[in-house]
Amino acid sequence: MEVAWGSPAVEMTEPSTNLDQMCLMVADLLEFMPVSRDLRLAAGTGHRLRLAFSQSLGLYLGVYMHAPKRGQFCVFQLVSTESNRYSLDHISSLFSSQETLVDFALTSAEIWALWHNEENQTVVKYINFEQNVAGQWNQVFVQPLPEEEVTVRQDQDPREIYLEYLFMPGRFTNAAIQKALQIFSQGTERHMDLMWDELRKEVTLAVENEFQGSVTEYECSPEEFWQLQVEFWSKFYACCLQYQEALSRPLALHLNPYTSMVCLLKKGSMSFLVPCSLVDHLYLLSNEHLLTEDDAAIFEDLEMSRDVVCLVQCLRLIGESISMEMAFIMEMACSRLQPPEKAAEQILEDLIANDTENVMEDIHSKLQEIRNPIHAIGLLIREMDYETDADMERAPHLALRMSLSQLFGSSTAAHVVCGGVAKICSVRFLLCRDLLILQQLLLRLGDPMVLGGGQLFQSQQDLLHRTSPLLLSYFLIRWASQCLASDVPVDTLESNLQHLSVLELADTTALTPHKLVSGPQTIVELFFQEVARKHIISRLFLQPNTSSLAETSLNWPHLITSIVTDFLPLLWPSNPSFLFPECLMGSCQYTQLQEYIRLLQPWCHVNMGSCCFMMGRCYLVMGEGHKALDCFCQAASEVGREEFLDRLIQPEEGEVVSTPRLQYYNKVLRLLEMLGLPELVIELATLAIMESADDWRSQATLRTCIFKHHLDLGHNSEAYVALTQNPDPSRQLDCLRQLVVVLCERSQLQDLVEFPYVNLHNEVVGIIESHARAVDLMTHNYYELLYAFHVYRHNYRKAGTVMFEYGMRLGREVRTLRGLQKQGNCFLAAINCLRLIRPEYAWIVQPASGAVYERPGASPKRSHDGECMAVPSTRQIEILELEDLERECLLARIRLTLVEHDVSAAAVAGNSTPEETVSLLVRAGLFDSAITLCQTFKLPLTPIFEGLTFKCINLQLGGEAAQAKAWDWLAANQLSALVTTKESSATDEAWRLLSSYLERYPSQNSLYHRCVINKLLAHGIPLPNWLINSYKEVDAAELLRLYLNYDLLEEAVDLVLEYVDAVLGKGHQYFGIEVPLSPASPTMWLPYTAIDQLLQALRESSASENSVVLYEKLNDRMEDYQQKVSVATMERLYCRP
């Protein structure tokens, strides 16, 4: 079907099979309008035709017929008859003004029209042609253009003021500013697709460059500089205003027939038309439309409707009389937290003082027409108040309806919804301002007739105090609608998420970084997209009582009205819902949140504790910890009364439930601990202790917290006090253990020793002992700490026991030179301790070996088959006295001497027994130390003589290298004065050392001589003369036996011959014989058995000629000796009386 027309007529054609068109209907539209002959002859220009379809009524045809100085809309319904014939039923005819029609849209009930008036301004109107009998068009309030001039006071920075005005959300589009920037920069650079913050920087740079390029003088006064800045910024602003006007000019009107959405299509953007509430509608209507408004369409009570209309007329009169300076007074009062009532009173005084057009008289006369002004004002206030009695139910997850999950989820939808909210708040702020001024006027008049039958002064005051919070609420939401959200980095969001997880608020919002690309995002838009949208959509569509809304869910006017209506209570400051500030906190908008609470706190008494908590979070982010703590403490008084704080203190699973305020303190303490603020943790925990007087578990937790952070800060005394005040013994012991370890690691041992430890003495000793026995001895000094601990308390026996155990373990576990040095010092310290007490008490208990210590946490010992071995419950106690400790000290000192001489011996010398140490000393050549050790522990010197003899043999058989090396160990022994008559070798010195030892340390039965000679003869070394002479003097018979044992027959014969001569008086002094053989001498004897064995050996070796000679020589001498012995014996017998 096609529509063709020239002059006002309608022709309908239908295509045939041969592509020819057939006319179905022709209608002359001039029949439906009053026309003259001139109109019939005029050319058909400016006419419009639109179609609309209704499923119930069919096709509608709307025709706009243009005539000079007037226009007319005709609406027809297309009716089909038999034989495919059609006719038009006339529904309505509507007349329009002389404005120029740009476009119009038709529905089955309404006509929407876009006009340009005589001032070339955009006008949008609509009318319901079915119900509006009077033909009255409804006005649509379109977004006005920005002001042509920006007022900058002398005390303001022009750059900041113009930038704030240019980049105010909803005022200028990105495209307009970019085009203005292109022209202002004279086309040198192209500024396309810039993000909002980048565009702001480019604008600043461009204007500043132009400004600096035009300044020719190096110096100018501040006034001239300010004036130049205003000049250049106003020039750029005018350029932006020009492009904004061009881009915002509507080109067409679009109406969606399925959703009834009406949009204005512009060159640079698209505007959405949303329904207007009754209050805003009355306040925005022009005077001529307000006078013709149907009272029945306002309220059912016609008198009340008339009162409200008259009241709105009074408000309009006040609003039109207020200058910019007067409006600024109220703005500043709200911003500076001053009472709005005072500002309204001042504005009223200015209005009365500057009333040149008798506006006050007009208002007074209008007030006379109001039957009950108090009631009308109350009704107007109720219409604008979004306060609810209870918190809105928290919305379920949108996963229940996937089809709704993205509804109104785009940035465009958020901009539309939040723009509607901003518009409502801007209008109602002005309305409340004018209403507040009107109430001040009523109080000033005080006329009972005006006040409607003698209303009480108290009622006037109540209304005044209700209007003031209403004004501040709309001011706050308007501010939030204009406040830009900050661009937050991802790492900041993640850090904030960790903090929220401590508070268990991490699931409140879906946190995503916000990048301002095509335009600024306000914090209200941020809140709508992140939180509010889900709550609103869930509330509208997922509740059981919203079936009617679900049926009309695609109807734009109903849906957008419902969303805005539900959105405003979420933003309303005096409602229990705290989602908006919570969203700002979750999105890291701390600067905005801080300003929001600043504007809210003085007058709003709802969620006061929650606001204090949020302000504390802001202070924490800003680095003002003590201010944050004050806010947290103030919020504690409201715990249990506010929904947000109640969610904050919900206990974790398995957590012991305490009082609500203690749970709150615990959450805040966790947050402060995560942020690393120990001073604040201590201060808050101290305050929380006052709340937990009857809860010892909470007190224990708080005392432990205080102890931990005092210790971290190095406040040792305060940490000790907190430890002693802990009511839980197990926690107290844990804290004590931590105190010991930390102070030891910091080397703050004096504090650790000097604490009194009242009723904790045994515990601290046990802790230090367990750590001393469980850690590396050379890394930690727990034994020395325990020693100082006991000495400080004059418990010297315990101190001595500690140091003795320390020394024992050093010998077992630290087998190094340093370990042996420390071991000696430990034994000396133990000896000193025992010498400081009385002798009868100078003893200690032998410490157990390392395997018997019951170390905390040590794994049980097991046998080879894996079974746990039973630990002996008792052990034998050994008492050590002072002499025992001195012996151990000597042993340790000798071990140290050994290791200093031979470092390689440290691995075995550290825990060696005295016998083992003697062997090591002998091997190292430290014979003096070995002799001292043997004498101290009453050990035989035999190993020493054997070792020294062996070294002499090696020196005698070795070369020059052995000689040179021997001087090291020879120097370590106390040699007698060297012989100076000739040069002495190392071998000679070694033999001389051996000789001196044999002289210095005599033994019973010449044991040491015998062992030396045995060693020499076993190695086939001839006996040195000095040794033979020395042994002859001591025990010649044993020397003879040794000769016989080693088959030294010739040496044995010589020894016997010398021995016989000595007995007979020749050289008797060399054999230790005092008186030779004589009748008067005492009884003497010879080793006949050995001599017989010698003679027998000589006889058996008679094959040797030398043996025969020796045998005869010895045998003759023995026979001679026997004769002399017989003579002496006989003489002695005869001489006996």
Side-chain angles (χ1 to χ4, degrees), residues 258-496:
Y258 302 103
T259 62
S260 301
M261 176 188 290
V262 182
C263 302
L264 294 179
L265 304 182
K266 304 176 182 180
K267 184 177 181 180
S269 61
M270 180 172 63
S271 296
F272 296 82
L273 302 186
V274 297
C276 183
S277 66
L278 175 62
V279 174
D280 302 337
H281 172 73
L282 293 176
Y283 185 74
L284 293 174
L285 276 178
S286 59
N287 290 328
E288 59 271 16
H289 287 87
L290 185 61
L291 295 174
T292 59
E293 187 72 18
D294 186 7
D295 294 336
I298 302 175
F299 297 107
E300 294 181 357
D301 187 348
L302 295 179
E303 291 186 354
M304 179 54 63
S305 298
R306 297 190 187 98
D307 286 351
V308 170
V309 170
C310 291
L311 179 62
V312 171
Q313 288 177 339
C314 294
L315 298 178
R316 288 290 302 273
L317 289 172
I318 293 175
E320 293 171 355
S321 303
I322 292 179
S323 63
M324 292 184 62
E325 290 76 11
M326 297 177 186
F328 185 73
I329 293 174
M330 183 61 74
E331 295 280 348
M332 287 296 101
C334 296
S335 178
R336 295 174 181 175
L337 310 181
Q338 298 171 354
E341 298 92 334
K342 298 293 184 182
E345 187 175 359
Q346 181 180 350
I347 294 173
L348 178 61
E349 292 177 355
D350 293 344
L351 285 175
I352 295 175
N354 299 319
D355 186 13
T356 58
E357 299 180 359
N358 298 324
V359 176
M360 291 296 112
E361 293 183 5
D362 296 339
I363 294 174
H364 190 272
S365 62
K366 282 292 181 183
L367 288 175
Q368 298 288 343
E369 300 176 11
I370 303 176
R371 180 180 56 87
N372 192 339
I374 300 298
H375 191 194
I377 293 173
L379 183 61
L380 203 59
I381 292 174
R382 285 195 301 271
E383 289 292 325
M384 294 188 293
D385 195 353
Y386 284 90
E387 183 175 347
T388 57
D389 295 334
D391 187 16
M392 297 176 65
E393 298 180 8
R394 302 185 70 82
H397 292 292
L398 289 181
L400 299 175
R401 291 278 297 275
M402 293 301 296
S403 60
L404 299 176
S405 61
Q406 300 300 323
L407 184 61
F408 276 75
S410 67
S411 58
T412 301
H415 185 71
V416 171
V417 173
C418 297
V421 169
K423 186 65 177 178
I424 290 174
C425 295
S426 299
V427 172
R428 294 190 178 180
F429 171 75
L430 299 178
L431 195 154
C432 292
R433 179 201 64 188
D434 300 342
L435 185 60
L436 204 59
I437 297 172
L438 181 63
Q439 293 180 55
Q440 291 288 359
L441 178 61
L442 289 174
L443 288 175
R444 182 183 290 263
L445 292 175
D447 188 353
M449 296 303 295
V450 173
L451 294 178
Q455 289 288 333
L456 297 176
F457 177 78
Q458 185 63 39
S459 298
Q460 305 171 43
Q461 290 291 336
D462 291 342
L463 286 177
L464 194 67
H465 294 316
R466 286 176 60 190
T467 308
S468 179
L470 203 64
L471 171 79
L472 293 171
S473 298
Y474 282 115
F475 175 82
L476 183 62
I477 300 176
R478 189 193 69 174
W479 168 85
S481 301
Q482 298 172 349
C483 181
L484 297 181
S486 301
D487 187 14
V488 182
V490 177
D491 55 348
T492 304
L493 285 173
E494 291 176 351
S495 175
N496 186 59

Side-chain angles (χ1 to χ4, degrees), residues 71-90:
Q72 178 179 343
F73 289 91
C74 290
V75 182
F76 303 93
Q77 183 178 6
L78 187 63
V79 180
S80 64
T81 58
E82 297 179 357
S83 65
N84 293 328
R85 295 296 178 180
Y86 297 91
S87 63
L88 294 177
D89 285 351
H90 180 257

Side-chain angles (χ1 to χ4, degrees), residues 15 513 606 620 697 716 773 1134:
V606 179
L620 283 181
R697 289 187 178 87
N716 300 336
R773 293 165 180 169
Y1134 289 130

